[in-house]
Amino acid sequence: MGWFDRQLAGRDPQALYAELALLTRRLRASEVIGKASGRFGLRRYIVRFERRLLRIRIVGVETEQLRNGGPPDAASFDAGAAGIERMLEDFAAGLPAGYRLERGALGVLRDETGPVQVSWRLDEDADNFGLFELRNPKGQGSPVEDQGYLRALELWAGKVAPVRGTWVTGQESWAFEGGRLKLGTDRVWRAEALATWVPHTGDYSWLVAEPVGDEAPFLHPTLVLEMRPALDLVAFAATRRGATGIFQGTLTQPAGVQAFFALKG
């Protein structure tokens, strides 16, 4: 007998389902998980949690890389983990009178469109809950989560690292003209414009005349990206263009837009 059956104690199963669904909506579980999953991309993973010293804690995340998605964005999940744990605490505290849990699993599924779907499994019901119970997410997903691109990024990691290690930001006035980038009064590089990225919307646009590779994200003139994959993509492109470093500057028009250039000595 699992957790759900033990909690019934002669009550109407549909009534318990309704109570759990209402609690999930009241806690905005889908929104909390969605934020921690990153703003964009297909998602399929399981968050495992348990009660430790009277507190609910995340103890693991189960996932796998799908054709174009799967795991949550790492930076977003780290930033959202505390919020997830607060939501789990409130879920445990909000269960109907007499109901209690010691551990559980939360299945997460996000298609290209529509809200994040969450599936609860508690105590022993969670023990055999695996990714096989969650269907594949529907849609195209994000090009930067394409497996071919991720493999290429890994293969090029050794070459990208030193280029990314020379990342110059425009703390002084800067200008780009005639293939030359000037920073302040005395620093000048040969340079090539690569891309722009808008932090608050995630809009990423290529500035190169031709794609710098045949992997998925290089073939899209515009994308919508989180900060980490946007910077990874810039560094990869700069390396393929023979750069020795990268320059990042903020445009005044449109305000706040980040512009990236491959520095070539």
Side-chain angles (χ1 to χ4, degrees):
M1 179 181 295
W3 182 92
F4 187 85
D5 293 327
R6 285 192 292 104
Q7 305 302 319
L8 285 177
R11 306 181 199 187
D12 179 7
Q14 293 304 316
L16 178 54
Y17 276 125
E19 287 186 76
L20 294 179
L22 179 61
L23 178 58
T24 299
R25 289 194 297 272
R26 181 168 61 81
L27 298 177
R28 301 181 66 192
S30 292
E31 289 87 344
V32 172
I33 290 291
K35 184 177 181 180
S37 297
R39 289 183 291 176
F40 321 109
L42 306 183
R43 296 291 178 258
R44 186 181 75 161
Y45 63 97
I46 294 174
V47 178
R48 296 200 178 272
F49 56 92
E50 63 183 44
R51 191 182 301 277
R52 290 185 172 179
L53 299 177
L54 304 180
R55 298 291 302 275
I56 301 294
R57 296 295 188 211
I58 296 172
V59 296
V61 176
E62 291 180 16
T63 187
E64 61 182 355
Q65 186 65 49
L66 304 175
R67 181 178 59 82
N68 53 358
D73 176 74
S76 298
F77 192 84
D78 288 345
I84 294 175
E85 289 185 336
R86 286 193 297 270
M87 182 271 291
L88 294 173
E89 282 274 357
D90 292 341
F91 178 83
L95 290 173
Y99 292 32
R100 181 176 173 80
L101 64 88
E102 294 298 327
R103 63 191 185 280
L106 184 61
V108 182
L109 183 69
R110 183 168 73 189
D111 297 323
E112 185 175 10
T113 59
V116 172
Q117 302 173 43
V118 297
S119 305
W120 297 96
R121 299 291 189 279
L122 305 175
D123 285 352
E124 57 266 54
D125 292 347
D127 296 341
N128 295 318
F129 183 53
L131 290 172
F132 62 90
E133 293 195 43
L134 300 174
R135 63 168 174 78
N136 283 336
K138 299 176 181 178
Q140 296 301 310
S142 173
V144 294
E145 294 181 344
D146 175 79
Q147 286 193 2
Y149 168 70
L150 294 176
R151 285 194 296 269
L153 192 61
E154 184 177 359
L155 288 172
W156 279 71
K159 296 179 180 180
V160 171
V163 176
R164 190 164 189 166
T166 306
W167 196 294
V168 182
T169 56
Q171 303 298 331
E172 308 170 68
S173 62
W174 62 275
F176 176 70
E177 186 176 357
R180 298 277 175 173
L181 191 144
K182 184 177 181 180
L183 176 63
T185 59
D186 58 357
R187 302 177 71 185
V188 180
W189 295 270
R190 288 188 300 108
E192 178 184 12
L194 291 176
T196 60
W197 178 67
V198 185
H200 66 279
T201 64
D203 290 316
Y204 181 102
S205 300
W206 287 113
L207 300 177
V208 291
E210 300 290 340
V212 301
D214 57 7
E215 292 82 11
F218 297 117
L219 303 179
H220 291 256
T222 61
L223 305 103
V224 182
L225 303 176
E226 304 279 3
M227 180 174 69
R228 180 187 58 80
L231 299 185
D232 287 345
L233 188 57
V234 165
F236 196 178
T239 304
R240 279 192 163 164
R241 297 301 292 174
T244 57
I246 300 160
F247 177 80
Q248 177 180 352
T250 303
L251 299 179
T252 55
Q253 292 294 331
V257 174
Q258 301 298 295
F260 302 93
F261 299 83
L263 301 179
K264 299 185 177 182

